Amino acid sequence: MIIGVLQVELMIHQAQSLKDKRRVVMSIKDRLHHDHQVSVAEVDAMDNPNRAVLGVVLASNDARHTQSVLDRILDQFRVHPACVLGAFHSEMISGR
């Protein structure tokens, strides 16, 4: 089993409130889950209306597929109109 983990920092400059931020984050989470069958959670900066840190996780039996999915997700973040991609970190974990 291969587990792909991606943590991304997003800047949401147009959010004026936490409600605005939640709208953007929920949209992103729903879209990623629908398009890539990944689990997504907001993992940090919950009280900051202009910053979101998301954790994305995918379990698979193929490391190349897992890396490809994580790369496509990063590409989506790079062109997303409502946020700017900041720092990110990905990791592959191999299990038995």
Side-chain angles (χ1 to χ4, degrees):
M1 172 173 44
I2 303 296
I3 300 169
V5 179
L6 174 65
Q7 182 172 316
V8 296
E9 177 182 20
L10 304 175
M11 303 311 292
I12 308 169
H13 296 298
Q14 295 180 346
Q16 300 297 315
S17 66
L18 290 175
K19 185 176 180 181
D20 293 340
K21 173 188 169 179
R22 272 193 303 272
R23 188 177 309 114
V24 171
V25 169
M26 287 302 294
S27 173
I28 290 170
K29 288 171 53 177
D30 291 345
R31 175 59 58 190
L32 290 177
H33 178 72
H34 179 265
D35 289 351
H36 303 288
Q37 296 300 305
V38 294
S39 295
V40 185
E42 187 172 5
V43 296
D44 197 5
M46 275 88 131
D47 294 332
N48 185 335
N50 298 113
R51 183 173 170 257
V53 180
L54 300 181
V56 181
V57 179
L58 170 66
S60 175
N61 63 347
D62 182 2
R64 283 182 289 161
H65 168 73
T66 302
Q67 188 62 55
S68 173
V69 170
L70 296 181
D71 290 343
R72 286 195 312 265
I73 290 170
L74 278 173
D75 290 341
Q76 280 185 278
F77 283 128
R78 286 185 177 105
V79 299
H80 199 285
C83 62
V84 175
L85 177 63
F88 63 88
H89 174 77
S90 67
E91 186 174 340
M92 302 290 264
I93 301 167
S94 179
R96 293 178 188 230

